[in-house]
Structures are given as C-alpha cells and as structure tokens.
Amino acid sequence: MKIYLEKLIAGSDLSYEEMKGVTEYCINEATDSEIAALLTALQAKGETADEIAGIVDVICAKSTFKTTPILNAIDNCGTGGDKSFSFNISTTSAFVLAGAGVTVAKHGNRSVTSKSGSADVLEALGVSITLSNEQIEELLHENKIAFLFAPNVHPSLKPFTKVRRDLGIRTVFNVIGPLVNPVDLDTQFLGVYDKSLLPMLAETLKKLGRRRAMVINGAGGLDEATLAGENHIVFLHEGNVTTYTLRPEDVGLPYYAIEEIRGGDAKRNAEILLQVLNGKIGPHYYTVLLNAGLALFTSGKAESIRDGIRLAEESIQSGEALKRLEKLVEYSTNLSGVV
C-alpha cells in the first residue's frame, strides 16, 4: 500500500491492474487509516477511468447478487457530493421510468453527504430495502423496478463504509457508487457533481460495457439535470461520444432556481416524491420530467429528449409511475406480515 500511496501523492496514476490489487488489499486486510489515506490521495490527484474501472470490477466480481439477464435494464443515479440538499430526484424519476415501461435496477445506499439517500427515502415510504436476490429479480421482471441496497449486495464494501462516513468528504466512492450496480446494465443515466469529470466518466462507462449512457452535470453544479440554466452532457452511444449543453427552454420547460428544489430529511423527501407522482405541478415535478425524459432518451425508449419528457409526463399523469411505487410498498408489507 505504501508504494501506491507514494505514487498517488506524487501525482501519478495507478494502472487498472494496480487499482484492482489495491482494492483487493483494502477489502481483505487494510486498516481504516490506510483506506482513508487511499481515498484522500485519489481524491486529491483526481481519478482516472482505469482506476475507477479497476475498483468497480473487483467490487462487482465479489457481489452476492447474481441474476439472469435482464434486457435493457437501466440505472439512474447521481454521484452525490454536490452539497445542494436537493430532494431525491433520481429516486423519484426511477418510478417514472418504470411507469413508462423501462426496467430500472435502482442501486443505492443511505446518505453520506446528503440528508436523505435513496435507501432512506424508500424506507420512509414503506419500501423494504432488505430483499433477497430472488425477490429483487421477481420485482424487476414483474414491477419494472426494484431497489438493490448496496450493503446487502456488496458486503465487500463494508471496510469502506465507516471510513467514508468518518471522512465526510467527496471520495472516489461518490463516483463509484452508481457504477457498481451488480445487474449487467445495458444503459445508464449518471449525474456528477463536477463538470470536469464528464469525459472521464463517459470513458469509464465505455470500459464497463455500457451500450448507451448519459453523464450530466446540472446547472448550478448539481449531480442531476436542473432547470436553473445550462446543463452539460456527454452522451455515449455504441462507443461514440457526443458532448452538448441543454437549457430548459430547449425542451419547452420552465426555469426554476436551485433553491426551489431543496428537500429535507427522508420524511420530507418522501412527501415531495409522492406529490410529484400524484402530479402536483411545480419545480419538483418539472425537474423530474427533465431527468426522467433524459433517461428515457438514454435508454432508447424515447426518440428524442422532448419525446422522453412527453413519455415521462404520461407515466405520471396515467398513474403508472405511482403504481410502481405502490407495488413495492405492497410487496414489502406482505413480506412483513402486516395486513
């Protein structure tokens, strides 16, 4: 470990194979201090696509979740770390995607740098986050959406969890979290807190075998698309990368300031999520339409971003998005034996 730490501190990158070896060491025998030093050194230097792919491949190989192939599965997730305290945009959008007919393998965790992670808000809604592999697969096929709680499907992450929480800063795991989904994803919609990371993350997704993917840094520096101005986007399609910007007026949506989409704790964010899925018009609703519309285009379900936004609105207004959530809550209630 010392050799690799010195290399990182000197500003040199680790190779894919070196990063795999370091990750194995962290999982099997490293101390908390060594893991903290590694995460801090990587963050200070700036991670590369090879370094991230090395970590991701080790973690996914050790996942306890194995499934039969799921065609056209997508995950939509932000990296966190933007310190905006926005409501749970990607989790809300996931139900809209499922309601539109796209299979969503929603991989996530509790909050580390925010007030409410995806696991926190889903628990507040009455969704079980401790399902078996068989139950997750059943929901993916029958409900078009299931939640994969990272600590359950990735026990190898345990050595990193306490260190991340103690550090309380952005680390490579903000970037890695959305990438270690154990489902073999066709497509991915990924938000990131730092615009400079867009090309590197697109290259990482390419290395990880995504057929289509979109990486976005939202206006105001959020890890979600926002209606506050210019969103920066990198789109990966069959190995080809396109870079462009998108403003709300480009797709017929209104402007809203970042302050208007702030959330709160898990209970408050659950209330916002339900309001959106019940069709309450406002900044939260339109922000979800934008993010879900972009993800529907990324998945190939929509022919354009505008078409994606139209399908997203249909998913909400028809009640299909809400039905996907209600199915998860009903499934969880039945498991707990509550009548």
Side-chain angles (χ1 to χ4, degrees), residues 25-44:
Y25 176 77
C26 287
I27 290 170
N28 295 320
E29 54 185 298
T31 65
D32 287 354
S33 296
E34 287 177 314
I35 294 173
L38 176 68
L39 297 183
T40 304
L42 279 169
Q43 169 67 14

Side-chain angles (χ1 to χ4, degrees), residues 1 4 14 17-27 30 38 160:
M1 175 68 88
Y4 296 133
L14 301 186
E17 291 297 335
E18 286 175 328
M19 199 67 242
K20 285 182 68 176
V22 170
T23 306
E24 289 277 3
Y25 176 77
C26 287
I27 290 170
L38 176 68
F160 299 101

Side-chain angles (χ1 to χ4, degrees), residues 67-321:
T67 182
T68 55
I70 299 170
L71 293 177
N72 301 317
I74 191 173
D75 193 2
N76 69 317
C77 188
T79 58
D82 63 17
K83 300 181 180 179
S84 68
F85 303 111
S86 59
F87 74 105
N88 291 96
I89 297 170
S90 62
T91 305
T92 311
S93 299
F95 291 107
V96 179
L97 299 178
V102 175
T103 301
V104 185
K106 185 70 175 132
H107 178 255
N109 209 334
R110 298 194 184 280
S111 64
V112 175
T113 58
S114 66
K115 292 183 179 179
S116 173
S118 52
D120 302 307
V121 74
L122 288 172
E123 275 195 325
L125 289 161
V127 175
S128 173
I129 62 171
T130 56
L131 301 178
S132 69
N133 291 356
E134 293 76 19
Q135 290 163 341
I136 291 170
E137 186 166 0
E138 179 185 351
L139 285 168
L140 287 173
H141 285 287
E142 295 185 5
N143 193 45
K144 292 288 186 181
I145 185 170
F147 182 69
L148 292 86
F149 185 41
N152 283 1
V153 298
H154 291 302
S156 64
L157 287 174
K158 188 174 181 180
F160 299 101
T161 303
K162 179 179 182 297
V163 174
R164 286 188 68 204
R165 193 172 299 278
D166 288 347
L167 285 174
I169 61 172
R170 298 169 181 163
T171 71
V172 67
F173 274 87
N174 283 98
V175 175
I176 286 170
L179 301 178
V180 293
N181 192 318
V183 174
D184 187 15
L185 298 175
D186 243 1
T187 56
Q188 187 150 5
F189 179 68
L190 173 62
V192 61
Y193 59 85
D194 185 344
K195 182 174 68 174
S196 69
L197 297 177
L198 291 172
M200 184 272 291
L201 283 175
E203 179 63 24
T204 303
L205 289 166
K206 184 177 178 180
K207 287 178 179 290
L208 294 173
R210 304 295 190 264
R211 181 176 56 84
R212 290 168 65 99
M214 182 177 287
V215 191
I216 186 164
N217 175 244
L222 267 68
D223 66 332
E224 314 275 2
T226 78
L227 299 166
E230 195 169 73
N231 298 279
H232 297 271
I233 295 171
V234 176
F235 181 55
L236 172 69
H237 181 213
E238 305 291 357
N240 298 311
V241 173
T242 307
T243 301
Y244 54 97
T245 58
L246 181 76
R247 299 178 66 86
E249 57 265 33
D250 297 335
V251 287
L253 292 176
Y255 172 93
Y256 285 104
I258 298 299
E259 292 74 19
E260 296 181 83
I261 59 169
R262 281 187 179 151
D265 59 13
K267 181 180 178 181
R268 172 57 185 148
N269 286 3
E271 292 171 352
I272 294 171
L273 185 151
L274 286 171
Q275 289 170 354
V276 171
L277 296 190
N278 278 289
K280 182 179 179 181
I281 304 298
H284 304 109
Y285 178 85
Y286 286 116
T287 299
V288 168
L289 286 190
L290 177 59
N291 281 273
L294 286 164
L296 285 166
F297 169 68
T298 302
S299 74
K301 181 74 172 181
E303 295 182 359
S304 67
I305 297 171
R306 278 183 177 267
D307 186 41
I309 291 169
R310 177 185 63 79
L311 291 175
E313 187 149 36
E314 286 180 5
S315 176
I316 295 174
Q317 296 301 331
S318 67
E320 287 299 317

Side-chain angles (χ1 to χ4, degrees), residues 49-70:
D50 278 336
E51 288 168 344
I52 292 175
I55 301 174
V56 169
D57 282 345
V58 169
I59 292 171
C60 285
K62 293 180 179 295
S63 175
T64 58
F65 182 82
K66 308 296 178 187
T67 182
T68 55
I70 299 170

